[in-house]
Amino acid sequence: QYHLALALSNLDQFDEAIREIDRAIQLASDSARLSVRIRKIHILRRAQRFETAVFECLKMLEESTNPGHTREIRYVLSH
């Protein structure tokens, strides 16, 4: 689903890409989930769904307990 979401995003099929990346998030292991969720932010940004991207980042910040992850999420949010 992760790679399919990337391909769909590259084809500007953003609704389908977001559905697939959401599936990838559900299937991701705990160690991979952050990077998959960040990929969703990139897809949302590319689709110009900025408010949704910001909301997703803020949601991840609330859930984050790892300082390294928090820093990475803040970096993504700054874009």
Side-chain angles (χ1 to χ4, degrees):
Q1 279 77 25
Y2 178 86
H3 294 289
L4 178 57
L6 295 178
L8 290 166
S9 175
N10 287 336
L11 295 171
D12 294 337
Q13 296 178 12
F14 299 114
D15 291 333
E16 295 87 353
I18 291 167
R19 275 195 294 277
E20 291 303 324
I21 202 69
D22 283 339
R23 286 188 192 124
I25 291 168
Q26 291 174 349
L27 296 173
S29 65
D30 289 341
S31 61
R33 190 164 290 118
L34 177 67
S35 63
V36 178
R37 289 179 78 182
I38 288 174
R39 176 55 57 191
K40 180 179 181 179
I41 302 304
H42 293 299
I43 292 171
L44 289 168
R45 254 188 11 219
R46 190 150 188 260
Q48 297 184 358
R49 298 180 187 178
F50 303 116
E51 289 180 17
T52 306
V54 168
F55 174 79
E56 292 287 333
C57 281
L58 294 175
K59 185 175 163 185
M60 287 192 302
L61 281 173
E62 285 179 9
E63 298 169 3
S64 179
T65 58
N66 180 315
H69 291 176
T70 299
R71 183 177 35 243
E72 189 171 350
I73 296 164
R74 286 187 186 282
Y75 178 76
V76 171
L77 180 59
S78 72
H79 288 267

